[in-house]
Every structure is written in structure tokens, then in C-alpha cells.
Amino acid sequence: MVDFGRLMTAMITPFNDQDEIDWEATGRLIDYLIDEQKSESLIVCGTTGESPTLSEEEKLQMFDFAVKHAAGRCKIIAGTGSNNTKHSIQLTQQAAKLGVDGALLVVPYYNKPSQAGMYAHFKAIAEATELPIILYNVPGRSVVSLSAATTLKLAEIDNIVGTKECASIEQVTHIAGHAPEGFRVYSGDDATCFAAIAVGAYGVISVASHVAGDEMAGMIQAHLQGDYQHAARMNQKLLPLFQGLFACPDPLPNPAAVKYAMSRRGYGNGNVRLPLLAPSAAERAFIDALL
């Protein structure tokens, strides 16, 4: 089984002033996330990487670049999920040829499939690749939610090795408590990472780890070593950051806030692609104060 680690970063995709991928900034960002923010795996071309507005060619270029630049220093997980099963199979297979370590597959959005339809979707993709697969349940974006029962049924498939769970803590608890050995649950919400680990999650797939990964890794380790009070204090310290990156002060679509935050540290210009918008002046001031 591939160990993706406990701290995984859903990486942004830096753009230049021509609205193209900034490869120089992307390379420096990968180094920074590995060396300074302690990311053990990077999710490339996930939602935080603006997958809805990346072309297939750009995604394949990103997978190839990330694998080569990381050079084994961390795992590279390709965001290859969509609401088109056939296309997800093809993209996953192409990503595998480029040497990625795994695939993240989001619950099909907009189509509103049934639980049986979601099971068949993920099963078909898993059977078409040897890559380890992490499911991604994010009801706030996909409208439908993969149930705990369906997740546990999918966990019986050999190469479906984990789930990024953004539903309730109750669902995290149920999946973690009933999953087969080796199947790992990852919190998909920074603000509930501490609670998720307390009820059995293995780690987190994070956005805030772009700016506080080292501290988050410390919090997770303190928790695992039984120093719950220290871990709780670290979580309390980080909570305003976790919440603020999604509310500036009104809800701001991911990844607009974190891309601006990273531009302040010299990684890209903070631009996002339409239909997303960069933070307003008031939002930028809020993020500056938060940081």
C-alpha cells in the first residue's frame, strides 16, 4: 500500500499575467510545500488547483511537471475525477503513464447520480487502472453526497485506498470505525481536521497547509503522541486562519484567498480564472491581517 502521509496539500495552480500556467512559480511552490510546509503528498489539478477551468492538455502538463519536479520527494496525486465516467477513466490512465502516485476522484457533480450510480462510477474507474484511488466526497460542491455505506462498499475494492471526506464528523466517525484495514479517511476541511483525527481520520487534505503546513504537521503529531492539550491549543490558534481563508469577510470561493496569500509570499500573482474573481481590496486587507 502506498503511504500518502498525514499532511497532504491540495495545491493551487499559479498563473501568469497571460492567464497561462506559471511554470517557474509552480516549481518554486512545489519546493516550498515540500521543504518548508512539510507536505507529504501534493494533490495536483484538484478543485483548489482550479480543475474546472484547466484544459486536459494543461492537466497532463501539470501531472508530468509535478512528478518530474518533485522527483520522489513527495507523492503526486492527480485530480482526474469528473462527472463523466469515460473521460475520468481516460484521464486517470494518461496520468498513470506520466508516473503519478495516485488519483483523487471527486463525486460526480451536477448529474445528481444515485448511490448505486456513484458506486458504479468509481468501480469502473478503479477497474481501469492500477493506481491507488482516493475518493473525494464534497457535498457542498457536488450537490450529492456519497454515503458512508457506499464508501465502505467501495473500500472493499483493492485499489480504492482512502477518502477525502467533507461531510459530517459523524460520517467520518462511521467510515473510520468500519473501514477495512488499510483504508484511510482524510479530513477535507481544515477547520475540522483536529476533530476528524480524534474520531479516527488518518490525516488531512488541506488548503491552509499552503501557509501553515509546518504548524499543522506539528498539531497532528502532538495529537498522535497523546499530547491532546498541546494539539488543541495549536488547533485553536490556527482556527481563525482555517475559517478566514474561506470567509474574507464574506464567503470567498476557494482558491481565491489562498492564491492571494501565496502571491504575498512570492508564489504567483494571485490570479484566478473566470468565473472566479480575485479578492477585492477589502478582502485582500482581511487576508493580510489574517496572515
Side-chain angles (χ1 to χ4, degrees), residues 120-241:
H121 168 82
F122 289 121
K123 181 174 183 287
I125 301 170
E127 289 178 343
T129 183
E130 294 182 358
L131 282 178
I133 287 171
I134 299 175
L135 309 172
Y136 179 17
N137 186 38
V138 55
R141 288 179 179 268
S142 59
V143 183
V144 291
S145 181
L146 191 68
S147 71
T150 304
T151 301
L152 291 170
K153 186 178 178 183
L154 286 164
E156 297 172 1
I157 298 173
D158 287 344
N159 62 327
I160 296 183
V161 300
T163 184
K164 176 183 178 183
E165 186 57 63
C166 296
S168 65
I169 286 294
E170 289 83 0
Q171 180 142 320
V172 171
T173 305
H174 187 81
I175 296 170
H178 295 84
E181 184 177 357
F183 184 85
R184 291 170 175 171
V185 182
Y186 298 89
S187 170
D189 178 6
D190 289 312
T192 62
C193 170
F194 177 84
I197 291 173
V199 299
Y202 186 77
V204 61
I205 297 177
S206 172
V207 173
S209 56
H210 280 86
V211 294
D214 190 24
E215 293 172 279
M216 293 180 70
M219 178 188 74
I220 293 170
Q221 284 306 310
H223 202 307
L224 295 172
Q225 292 166 5
D227 193 350
Y228 305 121
Q229 289 186 342
H230 179 57
R233 286 194 297 270
M234 294 181 74
N235 182 63
Q236 290 158 6
K237 175 187 174 184
L238 290 167
L239 186 60
L241 176 68

Side-chain angles (χ1 to χ4, degrees), residues 71-149:
R73 291 176 294 157
C74 76
K75 304 297 183 186
I76 300 298
I77 301 171
T80 58
S82 72
N83 60 351
N84 180 329
T85 307
K86 184 177 291 186
H87 180 256
S88 294
I89 288 172
Q90 294 170 346
L91 188 58
T92 302
Q93 291 173 334
Q94 289 173 298
K97 292 178 181 178
L98 295 173
V100 302
D101 298 290
L104 182 75
L105 303 180
V106 68
V107 165
Y109 40 86
Y110 191 79
N111 304 17
K112 297 183 72 172
S114 64
Q115 294 297 317
M118 286 186 275
Y119 176 82
H121 168 82
F122 289 121
K123 181 174 183 287
I125 301 170
E127 289 178 343
T129 183
E130 294 182 358
L131 282 178
I133 287 171
I134 299 175
L135 309 172
Y136 179 17
N137 186 38
V138 55
R141 288 179 179 268
S142 59
V143 183
V144 291
S145 181
L146 191 68
S147 71

Side-chain angles (χ1 to χ4, degrees), residues 11-31 44-45 54-69 98 267-269 273:
M11 193 178 81
I12 62 170
T13 302
F15 297 132
N16 59 27
D17 293 339
Q18 287 72 50
D19 203 30
E20 299 169 341
I21 297 174
D22 185 332
W23 295 108
E24 188 274 336
T26 300
R28 288 190 294 108
L29 176 63
I30 290 171
D31 293 337
V44 180
C45 302
L54 293 175
S55 69
E56 182 166 333
E57 180 183 6
E58 287 175 319
K59 290 179 182 179
L60 293 173
Q61 289 174 337
M62 277 291 292
F63 300 155
D64 185 51
F65 182 89
V67 168
K68 290 176 178 175
H69 194 86
L98 295 173
Y267 298 95
N269 57 16
R273 284 182 176 172

